[in-house]
């Protein structure tokens, strides 16, 4: 039990962390064997471990801390970041982790950890031991990838919960992405919610000024559904975004 309190403080730690704590790789391996046998730690994945609570017999670190420790540059992103900030309509059992180093998805304590390729390094913060995309990048990433993660309905539910966004941070993320179609989608969706988000006109103008040529569908499946052309954003969209969330009944991804 000599190192147990230190491990609880770390929550989630690597084999290298244990070598530094014990003074040698051999001592670390001995500690791992002993503490796993006693139920004081559990293996999360290869060379990554979690301290276990003596009271609850559950892992001390939550899914966000664990996701942040998968790789040196790992950060919580997309819908998982919405969950971290408390802006998610549903709790998913998938934890989305962005990192340059790929990893195979794995399960631990009821959650599946999934790799997301990082599009750019900007917009990442560290909060209480958790590396997470800031709320502006989370919104940009969510709009970029909602067809793959959660769907449009869940994305809009998340955005509805956000009290305010910073236009400068949003533009920084869009500049890093360098995707004209994404500017179309971001401008259209955030303009719709701007009564509450209170973004400056300059932000929406910057989105509108950089639109690509031609017209696009907000999402691929819309080609087979009722849609209207939004001339300002050159997008075929649902007739009314509010109808998307008012008719929402869940899609089975969360609880």
């Amino acid at each position: 039990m000599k190192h147990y309190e230190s491990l609880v403080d770390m929550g989630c730690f690597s084999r290298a962390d244990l070598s530094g704590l014990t003074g040698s790789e051999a001592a670390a391996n001995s500690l791992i064997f002993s503490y796993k046998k006693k139920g004081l730690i559990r293996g999360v994945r290869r060379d990554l471990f979690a301290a276990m609570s003596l009271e609850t017999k559950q892992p001390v670190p939550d899914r966000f801390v664990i996701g942040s420790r998968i790789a040196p540059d790992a950060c919580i992103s997309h819908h998982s970041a919405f969950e971290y900030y408390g802006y998610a309509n549903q709790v998913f059992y998938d934890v989305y982790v962005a990192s340059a180093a790929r990893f195979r998805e794995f399960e631990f304590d009821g959650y599946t950890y999934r790799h997301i390729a990082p599009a750019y390094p900007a917009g990442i913060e560290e909060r209480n031991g958790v590396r997470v995309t800031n709320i502006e990048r989370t919104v940009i990433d969510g709009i970029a990838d909602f067809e793959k993660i959660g769907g449009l309905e869940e994305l809009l539910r998340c955005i509805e919960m956000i009290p305010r966004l910073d236009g400068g941070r949003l533009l920084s993320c869009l500049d890093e992405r360098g995707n004209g179609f994404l500017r179309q989608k971001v401008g259209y969706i955030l303009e719709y919610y701007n009564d509450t988000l209170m973004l400056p006109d300059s932000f929406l103008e910057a989105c509108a000024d950089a639109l690509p040529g031609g017209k696009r569908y907000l999402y691929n499946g819309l080609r087979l559904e009722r849609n209207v052309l939004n001339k300002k954003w050159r997008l075929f969209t649902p007739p009314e975004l509010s109808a998307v969330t008012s008719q929402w009944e869940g899609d089975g991804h969360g609880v």
Side-chain angles (χ1 to χ4, degrees), residues 37-69:
K37 188 174 182 180
K38 295 176 181 177
L40 300 178
I41 65 174
R42 275 180 61 189
V44 174
R45 63 192 296 264
R46 182 176 180 180
D47 293 334
L48 188 66
F49 308 89
M52 303 297 291
S53 168
L54 295 177
E55 291 77 22
T56 67
K57 309 302 181 184
Q58 298 299 311
V60 170
D62 63 20
R63 63 192 186 278
F64 305 118
V65 172
I66 291 171
S68 297
R69 296 304 309 275

PDB file of all heavy atoms in Angstrom, residues 37-69:
ATOM      1  N   LYS A  37      -3.397  -7.819  -8.277  1.00  0.00           N
ATOM      2  CA  LYS A  37      -3.856  -8.993  -7.533  1.00  0.00           C
ATOM      3  C   LYS A  37      -4.713  -8.591  -6.338  1.00  0.00           C
ATOM      4  O   LYS A  37      -5.699  -9.260  -6.000  1.00  0.00           O
ATOM      5  CB  LYS A  37      -2.642  -9.809  -7.069  1.00  0.00           C
ATOM      6  CG  LYS A  37      -2.988 -11.158  -6.445  1.00  0.00           C
ATOM      7  CD  LYS A  37      -1.722 -11.952  -6.143  1.00  0.00           C
ATOM      8  CE  LYS A  37      -2.056 -13.315  -5.562  1.00  0.00           C
ATOM      9  NZ  LYS A  37      -0.829 -14.103  -5.264  1.00  0.00           N
ATOM     10  N   LYS A  38      -4.372  -7.454  -5.711  1.00  0.00           N
ATOM     11  CA  LYS A  38      -5.128  -6.973  -4.558  1.00  0.00           C
ATOM     12  C   LYS A  38      -6.352  -6.140  -4.947  1.00  0.00           C
ATOM     13  O   LYS A  38      -7.128  -5.729  -4.080  1.00  0.00           O
ATOM     14  CB  LYS A  38      -4.224  -6.113  -3.672  1.00  0.00           C
ATOM     15  CG  LYS A  38      -3.085  -6.881  -3.031  1.00  0.00           C
ATOM     16  CD  LYS A  38      -2.166  -5.942  -2.255  1.00  0.00           C
ATOM     17  CE  LYS A  38      -0.997  -6.699  -1.623  1.00  0.00           C
ATOM     18  NZ  LYS A  38      -0.061  -5.783  -0.924  1.00  0.00           N
ATOM     19  N   GLY A  39      -6.532  -5.898  -6.238  1.00  0.00           N
ATOM     20  CA  GLY A  39      -7.671  -5.102  -6.691  1.00  0.00           C
ATOM     21  C   GLY A  39      -7.494  -3.607  -6.484  1.00  0.00           C
ATOM     22  O   GLY A  39      -8.472  -2.861  -6.498  1.00  0.00           O
ATOM     23  N   LEU A  40      -6.243  -3.166  -6.300  1.00  0.00           N
ATOM     24  CA  LEU A  40      -5.983  -1.747  -6.081  1.00  0.00           C
ATOM     25  C   LEU A  40      -5.859  -0.973  -7.386  1.00  0.00           C
ATOM     26  O   LEU A  40      -6.046   0.248  -7.406  1.00  0.00           O
ATOM     27  CB  LEU A  40      -4.702  -1.570  -5.261  1.00  0.00           C
ATOM     28  CG  LEU A  40      -4.686  -2.215  -3.876  1.00  0.00           C
ATOM     29  CD1 LEU A  40      -3.333  -2.007  -3.208  1.00  0.00           C
ATOM     30  CD2 LEU A  40      -5.814  -1.650  -3.025  1.00  0.00           C
ATOM     31  N   ILE A  41      -5.517  -1.668  -8.466  1.00  0.00           N
ATOM     32  CA  ILE A  41      -5.471  -1.046  -9.784  1.00  0.00           C
ATOM     33  C   ILE A  41      -6.062  -2.017 -10.799  1.00  0.00           C
ATOM     34  O   ILE A  41      -6.138  -3.233 -10.549  1.00  0.00           O
ATOM     35  CB  ILE A  41      -4.039  -0.647 -10.220  1.00  0.00           C
ATOM     36  CG1 ILE A  41      -3.169  -1.893 -10.403  1.00  0.00           C
ATOM     37  CG2 ILE A  41      -3.415   0.321  -9.227  1.00  0.00           C
ATOM     38  CD1 ILE A  41      -1.792  -1.573 -10.980  1.00  0.00           C
ATOM     39  N   ARG A  42      -6.480  -1.484 -11.946  1.00  0.00           N
ATOM     40  CA  ARG A  42      -6.952  -2.302 -13.063  1.00  0.00           C
ATOM     41  C   ARG A  42      -6.270  -1.837 -14.330  1.00  0.00           C
ATOM     42  O   ARG A  42      -5.991  -0.645 -14.508  1.00  0.00           O
ATOM     43  CB  ARG A  42      -8.468  -2.173 -13.252  1.00  0.00           C
ATOM     44  CG  ARG A  42      -9.305  -3.092 -12.386  1.00  0.00           C
ATOM     45  CD  ARG A  42     -10.779  -2.885 -12.657  1.00  0.00           C
ATOM     46  NE  ARG A  42     -11.128  -3.169 -14.046  1.00  0.00           N
ATOM     47  CZ  ARG A  42     -12.328  -2.896 -14.570  1.00  0.00           C
ATOM     48  NH1 ARG A  42     -13.261  -2.307 -13.831  1.00  0.00           N
ATOM     49  NH2 ARG A  42     -12.583  -3.182 -15.834  1.00  0.00           N
ATOM     50  N   GLY A  43      -6.023  -2.778 -15.225  1.00  0.00           N
ATOM     51  CA  GLY A  43      -5.478  -2.425 -16.520  1.00  0.00           C
ATOM     52  C   GLY A  43      -6.566  -1.836 -17.403  1.00  0.00           C
ATOM     53  O   GLY A  43      -7.635  -2.445 -17.572  1.00  0.00           O
ATOM     54  N   VAL A  44      -6.319  -0.658 -17.939  1.00  0.00           N
ATOM     55  CA  VAL A  44      -7.254  -0.017 -18.870  1.00  0.00           C
ATOM     56  C   VAL A  44      -7.006  -0.558 -20.272  1.00  0.00           C
ATOM     57  O   VAL A  44      -7.924  -0.959 -20.977  1.00  0.00           O
ATOM     58  CB  VAL A  44      -7.077   1.512 -18.847  1.00  0.00           C
ATOM     59  CG1 VAL A  44      -7.948   2.172 -19.908  1.00  0.00           C
ATOM     60  CG2 VAL A  44      -7.399   2.063 -17.460  1.00  0.00           C
ATOM     61  N   ARG A  45      -5.776  -0.524 -20.693  1.00  0.00           N
ATOM     62  CA  ARG A  45      -5.284  -1.111 -21.929  1.00  0.00           C
ATOM     63  C   ARG A  45      -3.799  -1.341 -21.732  1.00  0.00           C
ATOM     64  O   ARG A  45      -3.295  -1.120 -20.635  1.00  0.00           O
ATOM     65  CB  ARG A  45      -5.566  -0.208 -23.149  1.00  0.00           C
ATOM     66  CG  ARG A  45      -4.865   1.128 -23.076  1.00  0.00           C
ATOM     67  CD  ARG A  45      -5.380   2.102 -24.144  1.00  0.00           C
ATOM     68  NE  ARG A  45      -5.109   1.663 -25.487  1.00  0.00           N
ATOM     69  CZ  ARG A  45      -4.064   2.045 -26.213  1.00  0.00           C
ATOM     70  NH1 ARG A  45      -3.167   2.866 -25.687  1.00  0.00           N
ATOM     71  NH2 ARG A  45      -3.905   1.614 -27.443  1.00  0.00           N
ATOM     72  N   ARG A  46      -3.105  -1.767 -22.749  1.00  0.00           N
ATOM     73  CA  ARG A  46      -1.688  -2.075 -22.577  1.00  0.00           C
ATOM     74  C   ARG A  46      -0.928  -0.858 -22.034  1.00  0.00           C
ATOM     75  O   ARG A  46      -1.003   0.233 -22.590  1.00  0.00           O
ATOM     76  CB  ARG A  46      -1.084  -2.504 -23.910  1.00  0.00           C
ATOM     77  CG  ARG A  46       0.376  -2.890 -23.803  1.00  0.00           C
ATOM     78  CD  ARG A  46       0.907  -3.393 -25.130  1.00  0.00           C
ATOM     79  NE  ARG A  46       2.312  -3.772 -25.023  1.00  0.00           N
ATOM     80  CZ  ARG A  46       3.030  -4.248 -26.031  1.00  0.00           C
ATOM     81  NH1 ARG A  46       2.467  -4.408 -27.218  1.00  0.00           N
ATOM     82  NH2 ARG A  46       4.298  -4.571 -25.856  1.00  0.00           N
ATOM     83  N   ASP A  47      -0.241  -1.068 -20.935  1.00  0.00           N
ATOM     84  CA  ASP A  47       0.620  -0.051 -20.302  1.00  0.00           C
ATOM     85  C   ASP A  47      -0.143   1.156 -19.766  1.00  0.00           C
ATOM     86  O   ASP A  47       0.443   2.211 -19.522  1.00  0.00           O
ATOM     87  CB  ASP A  47       1.714   0.434 -21.265  1.00  0.00           C
ATOM     88  CG  ASP A  47       2.713  -0.665 -21.589  1.00  0.00           C
ATOM     89  OD1 ASP A  47       2.879  -1.571 -20.756  1.00  0.00           O
ATOM     90  OD2 ASP A  47       3.320  -0.621 -22.673  1.00  0.00           O
ATOM     91  N   LEU A  48      -1.447   1.025 -19.573  1.00  0.00           N
ATOM     92  CA  LEU A  48      -2.242   2.108 -18.978  1.00  0.00           C
ATOM     93  C   LEU A  48      -3.132   1.500 -17.892  1.00  0.00           C
ATOM     94  O   LEU A  48      -3.776   0.467 -18.115  1.00  0.00           O
ATOM     95  CB  LEU A  48      -3.097   2.810 -20.034  1.00  0.00           C
ATOM     96  CG  LEU A  48      -3.823   4.081 -19.588  1.00  0.00           C
ATOM     97  CD1 LEU A  48      -2.820   5.182 -19.254  1.00  0.00           C
ATOM     98  CD2 LEU A  48      -4.775   4.563 -20.677  1.00  0.00           C
ATOM     99  N   PHE A  49      -3.184   2.159 -16.728  1.00  0.00           N
ATOM    100  CA  PHE A  49      -3.854   1.580 -15.565  1.00  0.00           C
ATOM    101  C   PHE A  49      -4.704   2.640 -14.861  1.00  0.00           C
ATOM    102  O   PHE A  49      -4.486   3.839 -15.009  1.00  0.00           O
ATOM    103  CB  PHE A  49      -2.822   1.016 -14.586  1.00  0.00           C
ATOM    104  CG  PHE A  49      -1.849   0.074 -15.228  1.00  0.00           C
ATOM    105  CD1 PHE A  49      -0.663   0.552 -15.791  1.00  0.00           C
ATOM    106  CD2 PHE A  49      -2.118  -1.282 -15.291  1.00  0.00           C
ATOM    107  CE1 PHE A  49       0.237  -0.308 -16.398  1.00  0.00           C
ATOM    108  CE2 PHE A  49      -1.213  -2.148 -15.898  1.00  0.00           C
ATOM    109  CZ  PHE A  49      -0.042  -1.667 -16.458  1.00  0.00           C
ATOM    110  N   ALA A  50      -5.659   2.165 -14.088  1.00  0.00           N
ATOM    111  CA  ALA A  50      -6.513   3.043 -13.298  1.00  0.00           C
ATOM    112  C   ALA A  50      -6.496   2.596 -11.850  1.00  0.00           C
ATOM    113  O   ALA A  50      -6.548   1.386 -11.558  1.00  0.00           O
ATOM    114  CB  ALA A  50      -7.952   3.027 -13.818  1.00  0.00           C
ATOM    115  N   ALA A  51      -6.427   3.571 -10.936  1.00  0.00           N
ATOM    116  CA  ALA A  51      -6.537   3.260  -9.509  1.00  0.00           C
ATOM    117  C   ALA A  51      -7.980   2.911  -9.176  1.00  0.00           C
ATOM    118  O   ALA A  51      -8.921   3.461  -9.751  1.00  0.00           O
ATOM    119  CB  ALA A  51      -6.082   4.460  -8.686  1.00  0.00           C
ATOM    120  N   MET A  52      -8.172   1.989  -8.246  1.00  0.00           N
ATOM    121  CA  MET A  52      -9.505   1.559  -7.839  1.00  0.00           C
ATOM    122  C   MET A  52      -9.812   2.088  -6.440  1.00  0.00           C
ATOM    123  O   MET A  52      -8.950   2.080  -5.560  1.00  0.00           O
ATOM    124  CB  MET A  52      -9.599   0.037  -7.853  1.00  0.00           C
ATOM    125  CG  MET A  52      -9.281  -0.590  -9.193  1.00  0.00           C
ATOM    126  SD  MET A  52     -10.442  -0.097 -10.487  1.00  0.00           S
ATOM    127  CE  MET A  52     -11.918  -0.967  -9.906  1.00  0.00           C
ATOM    128  N   SER A  53     -11.032   2.536  -6.246  1.00  0.00           N
ATOM    129  CA  SER A  53     -11.455   3.044  -4.945  1.00  0.00           C
ATOM    130  C   SER A  53     -11.645   1.884  -3.963  1.00  0.00           C
ATOM    131  O   SER A  53     -12.287   0.876  -4.293  1.00  0.00           O
ATOM    132  CB  SER A  53     -12.766   3.817  -5.094  1.00  0.00           C
ATOM    133  OG  SER A  53     -13.344   4.084  -3.830  1.00  0.00           O
ATOM    134  N   LEU A  54     -11.124   2.046  -2.760  1.00  0.00           N
ATOM    135  CA  LEU A  54     -11.323   1.025  -1.725  1.00  0.00           C
ATOM    136  C   LEU A  54     -12.768   0.988  -1.254  1.00  0.00           C
ATOM    137  O   LEU A  54     -13.262  -0.045  -0.820  1.00  0.00           O
ATOM    138  CB  LEU A  54     -10.395   1.303  -0.543  1.00  0.00           C
ATOM    139  CG  LEU A  54      -8.894   1.184  -0.808  1.00  0.00           C
ATOM    140  CD1 LEU A  54      -8.108   1.555   0.447  1.00  0.00           C
ATOM    141  CD2 LEU A  54      -8.535  -0.229  -1.266  1.00  0.00           C
ATOM    142  N   GLU A  55     -13.451   2.144  -1.325  1.00  0.00           N
ATOM    143  CA  GLU A  55     -14.827   2.225  -0.841  1.00  0.00           C
ATOM    144  C   GLU A  55     -15.826   1.671  -1.850  1.00  0.00           C
ATOM    145  O   GLU A  55     -16.685   0.855  -1.518  1.00  0.00           O
ATOM    146  CB  GLU A  55     -15.193   3.681  -0.508  1.00  0.00           C
ATOM    147  CG  GLU A  55     -14.485   4.257   0.705  1.00  0.00           C
ATOM    148  CD  GLU A  55     -13.050   4.648   0.412  1.00  0.00           C
ATOM    149  OE1 GLU A  55     -12.713   4.870  -0.780  1.00  0.00           O
ATOM    150  OE2 GLU A  55     -12.247   4.725   1.364  1.00  0.00           O
ATOM    151  N   THR A  56     -15.720   2.129  -3.107  1.00  0.00           N
ATOM    152  CA  THR A  56     -16.735   1.764  -4.096  1.00  0.00           C
ATOM    153  C   THR A  56     -16.331   0.581  -4.968  1.00  0.00           C
ATOM    154  O   THR A  56     -17.179   0.019  -5.669  1.00  0.00           O
ATOM    155  CB  THR A  56     -17.026   2.959  -5.007  1.00  0.00           C
ATOM    156  OG1 THR A  56     -15.860   3.251  -5.799  1.00  0.00           O
ATOM    157  CG2 THR A  56     -17.412   4.193  -4.197  1.00  0.00           C
ATOM    158  N   LYS A  57     -15.045   0.231  -4.946  1.00  0.00           N
ATOM    159  CA  LYS A  57     -14.501  -0.821  -5.815  1.00  0.00           C
ATOM    160  C   LYS A  57     -14.634  -0.452  -7.293  1.00  0.00           C
ATOM    161  O   LYS A  57     -14.594  -1.323  -8.165  1.00  0.00           O
ATOM    162  CB  LYS A  57     -15.203  -2.169  -5.559  1.00  0.00           C
ATOM    163  CG  LYS A  57     -15.254  -2.579  -4.099  1.00  0.00           C
ATOM    164  CD  LYS A  57     -13.867  -2.676  -3.485  1.00  0.00           C
ATOM    165  CE  LYS A  57     -13.940  -3.121  -2.024  1.00  0.00           C
ATOM    166  NZ  LYS A  57     -12.614  -3.134  -1.369  1.00  0.00           N
ATOM    167  N   GLN A  58     -14.790   0.831  -7.576  1.00  0.00           N
ATOM    168  CA  GLN A  58     -14.893   1.332  -8.944  1.00  0.00           C
ATOM    169  C   GLN A  58     -13.641   2.139  -9.290  1.00  0.00           C
ATOM    170  O   GLN A  58     -12.934   2.600  -8.393  1.00  0.00           O
ATOM    171  CB  GLN A  58     -16.138   2.214  -9.094  1.00  0.00           C
ATOM    172  CG  GLN A  58     -17.450   1.503  -8.849  1.00  0.00           C
ATOM    173  CD  GLN A  58     -17.673   0.366  -9.830  1.00  0.00           C
ATOM    174  OE1 GLN A  58     -17.518   0.540 -11.036  1.00  0.00           O
ATOM    175  NE2 GLN A  58     -18.012  -0.802  -9.307  1.00  0.00           N
ATOM    176  N   PRO A  59     -13.373   2.333 -10.597  1.00  0.00           N
ATOM    177  CA  PRO A  59     -12.209   3.141 -10.975  1.00  0.00           C
ATOM    178  C   PRO A  59     -12.310   4.554 -10.414  1.00  0.00           C
ATOM    179  O   PRO A  59     -13.377   5.164 -10.413  1.00  0.00           O
ATOM    180  CB  PRO A  59     -12.268   3.145 -12.503  1.00  0.00           C
ATOM    181  CG  PRO A  59     -13.044   1.920 -12.870  1.00  0.00           C
ATOM    182  CD  PRO A  59     -14.065   1.755 -11.780  1.00  0.00           C
ATOM    183  N   VAL A  60     -11.190   5.066  -9.920  1.00  0.00           N
ATOM    184  CA  VAL A  60     -11.151   6.436  -9.404  1.00  0.00           C
ATOM    185  C   VAL A  60     -11.308   7.457 -10.537  1.00  0.00           C
ATOM    186  O   VAL A  60     -12.085   8.399 -10.415  1.00  0.00           O
ATOM    187  CB  VAL A  60      -9.838   6.683  -8.628  1.00  0.00           C
ATOM    188  CG1 VAL A  60      -9.673   8.160  -8.289  1.00  0.00           C
ATOM    189  CG2 VAL A  60      -9.806   5.827  -7.354  1.00  0.00           C
ATOM    190  N   PRO A  61     -10.589   7.323 -11.668  1.00  0.00           N
ATOM    191  CA  PRO A  61     -10.724   8.309 -12.737  1.00  0.00           C
ATOM    192  C   PRO A  61     -11.994   8.073 -13.548  1.00  0.00           C
ATOM    193  O   PRO A  61     -12.423   6.928 -13.737  1.00  0.00           O
ATOM    194  CB  PRO A  61      -9.484   8.073 -13.600  1.00  0.00           C
ATOM    195  CG  PRO A  61      -9.191   6.623 -13.419  1.00  0.00           C
ATOM    196  CD  PRO A  61      -9.549   6.322 -11.989  1.00  0.00           C
ATOM    197  N   ASP A  62     -12.606   9.169 -14.021  1.00  0.00           N
ATOM    198  CA  ASP A  62     -13.771   9.009 -14.884  1.00  0.00           C
ATOM    199  C   ASP A  62     -13.320   8.819 -16.327  1.00  0.00           C
ATOM    200  O   ASP A  62     -12.127   8.807 -16.641  1.00  0.00           O
ATOM    201  CB  ASP A  62     -14.733  10.188 -14.745  1.00  0.00           C
ATOM    202  CG  ASP A  62     -14.125  11.524 -15.177  1.00  0.00           C
ATOM    203  OD1 ASP A  62     -13.122  11.525 -15.930  1.00  0.00           O
ATOM    204  OD2 ASP A  62     -14.655  12.573 -14.772  1.00  0.00           O
ATOM    205  N   ARG A  63     -14.288   8.648 -17.222  1.00  0.00           N
ATOM    206  CA  ARG A  63     -13.962   8.347 -18.618  1.00  0.00           C
ATOM    207  C   ARG A  63     -13.203   9.480 -19.294  1.00  0.00           C
ATOM    208  O   ARG A  63     -12.433   9.252 -20.236  1.00  0.00           O
ATOM    209  CB  ARG A  63     -15.239   8.022 -19.400  1.00  0.00           C
ATOM    210  CG  ARG A  63     -16.252   9.169 -19.497  1.00  0.00           C
ATOM    211  CD  ARG A  63     -17.568   8.634 -20.018  1.00  0.00           C
ATOM    212  NE  ARG A  63     -18.570   9.649 -20.284  1.00  0.00           N
ATOM    213  CZ  ARG A  63     -19.350  10.193 -19.367  1.00  0.00           C
ATOM    214  NH1 ARG A  63     -19.220   9.828 -18.101  1.00  0.00           N
ATOM    215  NH2 ARG A  63     -20.258  11.088 -19.705  1.00  0.00           N
ATOM    216  N   PHE A  64     -13.416  10.712 -18.835  1.00  0.00           N
ATOM    217  CA  PHE A  64     -12.733  11.845 -19.459  1.00  0.00           C
ATOM    218  C   PHE A  64     -11.248  11.867 -19.094  1.00  0.00           C
ATOM    219  O   PHE A  64     -10.396  12.129 -19.941  1.00  0.00           O
ATOM    220  CB  PHE A  64     -13.405  13.150 -19.033  1.00  0.00           C
ATOM    221  CG  PHE A  64     -14.878  13.190 -19.307  1.00  0.00           C
ATOM    222  CD1 PHE A  64     -15.799  13.309 -18.270  1.00  0.00           C
ATOM    223  CD2 PHE A  64     -15.358  13.093 -20.601  1.00  0.00           C
ATOM    224  CE1 PHE A  64     -17.155  13.339 -18.519  1.00  0.00           C
ATOM    225  CE2 PHE A  64     -16.724  13.121 -20.869  1.00  0.00           C
ATOM    226  CZ  PHE A  64     -17.625  13.245 -19.814  1.00  0.00           C
ATOM    227  N   VAL A  65     -10.933  11.585 -17.838  1.00  0.00           N
ATOM    228  CA  VAL A  65      -9.537  11.507 -17.412  1.00  0.00           C
ATOM    229  C   VAL A  65      -8.841  10.358 -18.138  1.00  0.00           C
ATOM    230  O   VAL A  65      -7.716  10.510 -18.648  1.00  0.00           O
ATOM    231  CB  VAL A  65      -9.435  11.325 -15.882  1.00  0.00           C
ATOM    232  CG1 VAL A  65      -7.993  11.044 -15.478  1.00  0.00           C
ATOM    233  CG2 VAL A  65      -9.960  12.562 -15.163  1.00  0.00           C
ATOM    234  N   ILE A  66      -9.503   9.221 -18.205  1.00  0.00           N
ATOM    235  CA  ILE A  66      -8.902   8.064 -18.869  1.00  0.00           C
ATOM    236  C   ILE A  66      -8.639   8.376 -20.340  1.00  0.00           C
ATOM    237  O   ILE A  66      -7.550   8.101 -20.862  1.00  0.00           O
ATOM    238  CB  ILE A  66      -9.810   6.832 -18.719  1.00  0.00           C
ATOM    239  CG1 ILE A  66      -9.821   6.365 -17.254  1.00  0.00           C
ATOM    240  CG2 ILE A  66      -9.353   5.698 -19.643  1.00  0.00           C
ATOM    241  CD1 ILE A  66     -10.835   5.293 -16.954  1.00  0.00           C
ATOM    242  N   GLY A  67      -9.608   8.949 -21.023  1.00  0.00           N
ATOM    243  CA  GLY A  67      -9.421   9.279 -22.433  1.00  0.00           C
ATOM    244  C   GLY A  67      -8.254  10.215 -22.654  1.00  0.00           C
ATOM    245  O   GLY A  67      -7.529  10.105 -23.654  1.00  0.00           O
ATOM    246  N   SER A  68      -8.050  11.137 -21.724  1.00  0.00           N
ATOM    247  CA  SER A  68      -6.962  12.110 -21.839  1.00  0.00           C
ATOM    248  C   SER A  68      -5.584  11.487 -21.681  1.00  0.00           C
ATOM    249  O   SER A  68      -4.581  12.108 -22.033  1.00  0.00           O
ATOM    250  CB  SER A  68      -7.125  13.212 -20.781  1.00  0.00           C
ATOM    251  OG  SER A  68      -8.306  13.939 -20.974  1.00  0.00           O
ATOM    252  N   ARG A  69      -5.523  10.276 -21.112  1.00  0.00           N
ATOM    253  CA  ARG A  69      -4.234   9.641 -20.844  1.00  0.00           C
ATOM    254  C   ARG A  69      -3.883   8.551 -21.856  1.00  0.00           C
ATOM    255  O   ARG A  69      -2.861   7.890 -21.713  1.00  0.00           O
ATOM    256  CB  ARG A  69      -4.231   9.045 -19.432  1.00  0.00           C
ATOM    257  CG  ARG A  69      -4.364  10.060 -18.314  1.00  0.00           C
ATOM    258  CD  ARG A  69      -3.286  11.137 -18.355  1.00  0.00           C
ATOM    259  NE  ARG A  69      -1.937  10.585 -18.445  1.00  0.00           N
ATOM    260  CZ  ARG A  69      -1.233  10.193 -17.394  1.00  0.00           C
ATOM    261  NH1 ARG A  69      -1.729  10.317 -16.165  1.00  0.00           N
ATOM    262  NH2 ARG A  69      -0.013   9.704 -17.553  1.00  0.00           N
TER     263      ARG A  69
END
